[in-house]
Structures are given as C-alpha cells and as structure tokens.
C-alpha cells in the first residue's frame, strides 16, 4: 500500500480576536512609543515627552487598515458610505525593571497589556543625547530581556495562583470527571510555569485545542502575539543598516521564535505624518524608501490569522474582519447577532469576479453568484449578502 500522505497539522492560535482587534504599543520608557502612536494614528493623542512615564493612562485611537481591495470595490460600487477595516491601537505606559513587583507603574502597565489582543513591542536602536534612556544607554538586547523578564514573572504569578485554585479541587480526591479534568489542567499549568521559568513565552509554543481553552482563560501576558518594531534613526533606516540588528534577531530567534521583526524609523514616520499624502509620497521617493506603517498594520492582522470579507452595494461598501476558518453564520454574527441566529444562507461573490464583471447582475448571469449554507467557510476577499429569517421580537 502507498504510504499515507502526511497532513501538516495547523497550529492552534491563542486568544479570541474579533472584528475590533486591539493592539497595545509597549516598551521601556523613552523608546518612541508615543511618537509612533501619533504617527500611525495621525492624531495628537499620546504624550511623547522626554521623561519616563509621560504616558500614564493608555491612549486609544483607530487606525485604518490599508486595503487595495477595499479601494477597488469602492470604485466599482461608488457607495454613499465607505467603511474600511480598522485596528484599535493603545499607547501603554513605559515599562521599567521591577514592574512585575509593582515598580514604576508596574501593575497598571501589566493590567493594560492584559486588556489587548496583541503587542507591538518598540525597541530603541537610535542614539540621541537629548532623549534620555531610562537604563542610561542604548542596549536593545538588554531592553528585550527586561520586558521579557517582567512579563514572564507576572505570568508565573498568575499561573501559580491559577494552580492553587485548581489544587483546592484536586485535593478532594475521588474519581469524578471534574477532578480528573482538573488534574489534567494542573499538569498543563505546571508545564507552563516551567516553560516561563526557562525564559520562553507561551505564545511561541504549539498547544492543542483543549490546552488553548485553558490558556485563554488565564489571560497570560506572554500568550499574546508580538511583533518587534525596531526603532532606527532616519539615517540607519534609509541605509538599511544598524549595529544592533543581528543581535536582536539572535535574541528573538532564541526567546520569541517565529515572531516578526520590522525595522522602522519613528523620526521619519512622525515627519511624514505632518505632510499631505502627495508630499509624503514625494519625500519617500526622494529618499528611496517606503513607509513601514502599512506593513506594521497588515502584518499584525496576518499574524493573528485574520482575513476580510466585504458587504457591498450602492449604499455602503464595508470591510469586515474575521479569523480564518470562520463559517458563514459566525461571519454574519460579526455584522449583527440576529443575522447569525436566524441565518438561512450566504450569497457569495469572489473578489476577482467582481473586478472582472463589475456588475452584480452580470455575475449572477454568468453563474458566479454562489449559494452557501451554514457549513461554508468564508474565504479571504469574499463579497457576501446574508439571507436571514425574522429576528426575535
């Protein structure tokens, strides 16, 4: 008999991000977080002052997700209203050594991280005598160690408390299903504690669906997907060189394997944010570089396995965000719970067909309007009309 084809098992992702993904900007004090927040959101919120803890309560703003497909669909349908997908970004106070024990803004900082779905970690790689560094000098690997250590220490504390609560049940003894399940959960939590003590993050491991359910209930800081934003001087960003980059990559490969590193220049992005779109594009052309902001936004969506579907018509074109693998009724529920609860079918058009035919009636006449039921898994770029029954009074 021929050997069975090996099917690669898909990694189960942690967390439950929905249509409103929340990304927190974290890092040590004075690494460029608030200036980056202002540049990416193009708003005056945040407080990029040159002293530690200039930001205390997290600022929040929405960032439009760059989407050529959304722009193309808007051109085709010419709707009265256009609603792009967005990313909600939080500027979180700077971390300091000892935060897990309450130093600096310790507990407040860590609670703000627990409230987001993912992390942009800003790492300083630029020298500037006028911008003080809380640790005295620029050493990105040391800074990465500090943040990693503080998040792990707090997660160990969370996990040990969780284990204590489980053991209150397992100490009862007996052979009940609850006791058996709690014993299995205790073994998992003990593994997590050992993993954290070894210097690793929870997010960078492979977990079974059952284990993911437990981990999600613990709201661990190191279970959140992270992207490392390497803040370079404008000169280093343009020439694509910096003496710290190799050591940063080695650190990420060891302690945060699989996570992405995106070099950018807060100084450049902040300067561009004060220009018109035409002026910014001309400046980038002259410098021979591209803005890193579109990549920073779209890469976070990809990392979380998020995709888009669209609802289109003369009244409105809107881009919706769901996790890959979502079935049609649950996608309808992103729009409104009633659509999910009374779901009948989904009428689906493919983006490529809409671009080719540019008319819903022509697509239908060509047999390209697909009727899909409850088991249909929505694909990235689908244009969908949902049919549902009458909702509850």
């Amino acid at each position: 008999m021929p050997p069975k084809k090996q099917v690669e098992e898909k990694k189960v992702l942690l967390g439950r991000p929905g249509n409103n993904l929340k990304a927190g900007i974290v890092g040590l004090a004075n690494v460029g977080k608030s200036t980056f927040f202002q540049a990416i959101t193009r708003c005056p919120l945040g407080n990029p002052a040159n002293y530690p803890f200039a930001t205390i309560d997290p600022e929040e703003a929405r960032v439009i997700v760059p989407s050529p497909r959304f722009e193309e669909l808007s051109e085709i349908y010419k709707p009265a209203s256009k609603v792009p997908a967005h990313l909600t970004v939080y500027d979180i106070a700077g971390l300091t050594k000892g935060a897990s024990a309450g130093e600096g803004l310790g507990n407040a900082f860590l609670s703000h991280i627990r409230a987001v779905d993912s992390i942009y970690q800003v790492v300083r790689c630029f020298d500037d005598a006028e911008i003080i560094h809380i640790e005295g000098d620029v050493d990105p690997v040391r800074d990465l160690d500090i943040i990693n250590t503080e998040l792990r220490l707090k997660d160990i504390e969370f996990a040990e408390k969780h284990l204590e609560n489980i053991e209150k049940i397992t100490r009862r003894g007996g052979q009940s299903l609850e006791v058996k399940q709690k014993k299995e959960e205790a073994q998992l939590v003990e593994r997590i504690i050992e993993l954290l003590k070894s210097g690793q993050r929870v997010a960078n491991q492979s977990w079974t669906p059952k284990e993911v359910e437990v981990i999600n209930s613990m709201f661990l800081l190191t279970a959140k997907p992270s992207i490392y934003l390497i803040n370079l001087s404008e000169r280093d960003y343009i020439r694509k060189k910096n003496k710290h980059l190799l050591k940063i990559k080695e650190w990420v490969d060891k302690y945060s394997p699989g996570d992405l590193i995106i070099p950018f220049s807060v100084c450049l992005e902040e300067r561009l944010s004060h220009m018109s779109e035409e002026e910014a594009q001309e400046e980038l052309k002259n410098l021979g570089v591209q803005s890193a902001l579109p990549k920073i936004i779209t890469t976070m969506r990809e990392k979380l396995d998020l995709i888009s579907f669209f609802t289109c018509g003369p009244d409105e074109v809107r881009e919706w965000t769901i996790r890959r693998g979502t079935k049609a009724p649950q996608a309808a529920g992103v729009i409104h719970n009633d659509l999910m609860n009374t779901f009948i079918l989904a009428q689906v058009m493919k983006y490529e067909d809409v671009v080719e035919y540019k008319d819903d009636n022509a697509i239908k006449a060509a047999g390209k309007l697909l009727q899909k039921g409850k088991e249909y898994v929505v694909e990235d770029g689908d244009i969908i009309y949902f049919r549902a029954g009458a909702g509850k009074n």
Side-chain angles (χ1 to χ4, degrees), residues 94-105:
L95 181 61
T96 185
K97 190 183 295 184
S100 59
E103 294 293 327
L105 296 174

Side-chain angles (χ1 to χ4, degrees), residues 298-332:
T298 57
T299 300
M300 183 61 84
R301 281 168 54 92
E302 293 168 5
K303 187 168 181 61
L304 284 162
D305 218 13
L306 298 174
I307 62 172
S308 294
F309 73 90
F310 301 86
T311 51
C312 299
D315 293 331
E316 179 184 84
V317 169
R318 183 184 292 241
E319 182 171 357
W320 302 89
T321 302
I322 56 174
R323 175 162 268 181
R324 192 180 304 277
T326 300
K327 293 183 178 180
Q330 287 68 46

Side-chain angles (χ1 to χ4, degrees), residues 122-222:
V122 180
V123 183
R124 177 173 171 175
C125 280
F126 66 90
D127 292 305
D128 189 330
E130 294 184 3
I131 301 178
I132 60 174
H133 192 293
I134 194 169
E135 292 295 322
D137 62 346
V138 175
D139 184 344
V141 170
R142 177 205 57 211
D143 296 353
L144 287 164
D145 277 332
I146 290 173
I147 292 182
N148 185 44
T149 298
E150 296 305 325
L151 299 187
R152 285 189 301 103
L153 288 174
K154 201 64 182 179
D155 274 356
I156 291 170
E157 180 186 323
F158 291 146
E160 287 176 341
K161 287 181 180 178
H162 191 83
L163 186 60
E164 286 177 14
N165 293 330
I166 295 171
E167 289 175 340
K168 290 177 183 177
I169 298 173
T170 59
R171 279 196 293 266
R172 298 176 194 166
Q175 300 298 318
S176 70
L177 179 60
E178 181 188 21
V179 170
K180 181 182 178 183
Q181 290 174 336
K182 288 300 179 183
K183 284 182 178 179
E184 292 176 356
E185 186 173 335
Q187 291 176 350
L188 170 62
V189 177
E190 287 169 352
R191 279 171 48 209
I192 290 171
I193 293 172
E194 289 305 310
L195 175 78
L196 292 165
K197 287 181 176 179
S198 73
Q200 297 297 311
R201 301 174 68 251
V202 173
N204 302 96
Q205 315 302 316
S206 294
W207 306 101
T208 67
K210 191 174 181 181
E211 290 169 340
V212 167
E213 286 299 312
V214 175
I215 295 170
N216 283 345
S217 72
M218 297 169 69
F219 299 102
L220 298 175
L221 303 173
T222 64

Side-chain angles (χ1 to χ4, degrees), residues 37-103:
F37 176 82
Q38 291 186 347
I40 198 171
T41 60
R42 286 183 173 265
C43 72
L45 297 174
N47 187 0
N50 182 21
Y51 54 89
F53 313 125
T55 302
I56 299 177
D57 294 324
E59 302 283 4
E60 172 186 349
R62 286 185 172 186
V63 177
I64 293 175
V65 175
S67 175
R69 293 180 305 187
F70 175 78
E71 297 301 329
E72 181 70 21
L73 292 171
S74 297
E75 281 295 314
I76 292 170
Y77 285 92
K78 295 180 169 44
S81 172
K82 298 188 290 184
V83 185
H86 67 267
L87 174 74
T88 301
V89 178
Y90 288 80
D91 178 22
I92 298 175
L95 181 61
T96 185
K97 190 183 295 184
S100 59
E103 294 293 327

Side-chain angles (χ1 to χ4, degrees), residues 3 9 18 30 63 93-95 112 141 159 189 218 248 255 285 353:
E9 189 172 333
N30 291 356
V63 177
L95 181 61
H112 294 151
V141 170
V189 177
M218 297 169 69
I248 291 172
Y255 296 109
K285 183 179 178 182
D353 293 331

